[in-house]
Amino acid sequence: FMATITWTWWINRQGTLYWNLDPHPFWDIRCSPEKRNRTVHILKNCSIVGALTILQQLAKYESQDLAGAPSFLEGLITALRPWTFPAILGPQLVLLATLRSVLHEALPGYATVFALLIALIAIQAAANLVNSYVDFKKGIDKSETAGDRTLVDGLVSMTTLKALGSLCLGFWLSFFCWSLVATNFSSTVLGWATTGTLLAVGYTAGPAPLKYLGLGDLTVLICFGPGVIAYSSAVLIGTIRLEALILTLPAALYVVAILHANNYRDIEVDKQGGARTVAVLLGPEASLVYYKGLLAAAHILAL
């Protein structure tokens, strides 16, 4: 159905094929408005099909009457945790709206913007995989209590998980290197990208994992808030706008609240594993107050 709609309305609209509209790619400023409009709808339909496919697989995995072990695809979805990607996409979409509609900044072509978003998703996925690996190796994720079922249920092998992590990290590092060259080795791009990468990996890995030192919430705030916004702004427009940092802060606070809610659920498990998350340090009652404070701050800043 989606293929028929896409072909009839957007690829071959009124008998004029998409690629015959003009010789310019859709990210070129010389591209016609009609071609840009069709491109948006074609990409939208492809995204819908992709999202429905993921949801179908998730629903299949969650079904209680599955015969046999989950498929390899279901293992990949569980390992990568695509349902967490809105955490990085949310602040970025607010940033794009702020730069274009509020500050009236000229943005680069679609290719650069899409590559940036995919690269940020890649580093988040890499951080998710590192977190799964370290928590499993430390014995925090156990079959009886783990919220992350990737390794405890054998959904993917340790080798596959390492390969996925390397692939995601490699894509991010490739974009990181490109962004350095494209911005003439901007110190802002170099500094924030390096800091963000170290924080993302060091959240659970390294000699002093930040999650286990009560610094997880601060790390997430930097990685999903001012740090990544400063990096993205420098890549997109060559500078950092204070308005963009302020207007994206509510979205970052929501991400911290999501993390804290997850850690609140795992207080007892983290205690047993020696993880000193903010939820563990505060205790159940103070954690709820802290959680409500994060949500209230996000709402107030948004207003």
Side-chain angles (χ1 to χ4, degrees):
F1 173 76
M2 292 300 294
T4 302
I5 291 296
T6 303
W7 173 263
T8 304
W9 283 94
W10 306 118
I11 297 179
N12 192 34
R13 186 176 179 84
Q14 297 179 342
T16 304
L17 289 169
Y18 171 86
W19 44 84
N20 290 336
L21 288 171
D22 60 60
H24 308 296
F26 66 86
W27 60 81
D28 195 308
I29 194 171
R30 296 169 294 176
C31 177
S32 65
E34 172 67 16
K35 191 170 187 178
R36 287 180 182 274
N37 182 52
R38 289 201 198 184
T39 301
V40 169
H41 287 284
I42 291 170
L43 293 175
K44 175 198 69 177
N45 289 354
C46 292
S47 300
I48 290 173
V49 171
L52 291 176
T53 302
I54 290 175
L55 288 174
Q56 182 185 42
Q57 292 299 322
L58 289 174
K60 181 181 178 182
Y61 174 60
E62 291 294 334
S63 176
Q64 296 300 314
D65 57 347
L66 282 174
S71 68
F72 180 70
L73 177 59
E74 292 162 347
L76 289 182
I77 292 174
T78 304
L80 293 172
R81 306 183 215 171
W83 52 86
T84 67
F85 294 162
I88 192 66
L89 291 177
Q92 291 300 309
L93 294 178
V94 175
L95 171 65
L96 291 172
T98 300
L99 293 177
R100 191 70 186 91
S101 300
V102 178
L103 302 176
H104 306 292
E105 293 279 1
L107 296 176
Y110 288 105
T112 300
V113 174
F114 287 148
L116 170 64
L117 295 178
I118 294 173
L120 293 176
I121 287 175
I123 185 60
Q124 183 184 347
N128 288 343
L129 293 166
V130 170
N131 182 73
S132 296
Y133 174 80
V134 174
D135 281 356
F136 179 75
K137 293 291 286 185
K138 287 180 175 290
I140 293 177
D141 284 347
K142 300 177 181 178
S143 59
E144 302 84 5
T145 56
D148 180 3
R149 312 301 302 180
T150 304
L151 292 173
V152 294
D153 288 347
L155 300 180
V156 297
S157 67
M158 190 72 77
T159 301
T160 300
L161 186 133
K162 291 179 180 179
L164 282 173
S166 299
L167 183 64
C168 291
L169 190 58
F171 184 88
W172 157 249
L173 292 176
S174 298
F175 183 84
F176 174 20
C177 293
W178 174 87
S179 68
L180 275 177
V181 175
T183 58
N184 294 318
F185 295 90
S186 163
S187 59
T188 301
V189 170
L190 176 61
W192 281 114
T194 303
T195 300
T197 303
L198 294 176
L199 289 177
V201 175
Y203 180 74
T204 49
L210 299 170
K211 173 183 176 180
Y212 304 125
L213 299 176
L215 298 174
D217 288 25
L218 179 61
T219 300
V220 168
L221 179 62
I222 294 173
C223 287
F224 290 87
V228 73
I229 296 303
Y231 169 76
S232 298
S233 295
V235 171
L236 294 173
I237 63 173
T239 187
I240 302 173
R241 296 292 298 270
L242 179 61
E243 298 93 330
L245 294 176
I246 295 174
L247 290 174
T248 54
L249 191 55
L253 288 174
Y254 283 127
V255 176
V256 177
I258 293 171
L259 169 79
H260 183 70
N262 181 73
N263 290 336
Y264 175 79
R265 178 200 64 192
D266 296 336
I267 283 180
E268 294 304 322
V269 176
D270 287 339
K271 275 185 180 179
Q272 296 173 10
R276 298 172 59 199
T277 64
V278 173
V280 170
L281 294 175
L282 292 177
E285 293 185 5
S287 287
L288 288 177
V289 175
Y290 171 64
Y291 174 73
K292 294 175 182 177
L294 289 171
L295 295 181
H299 281 75
I300 292 171
L301 282 174
L303 292 175

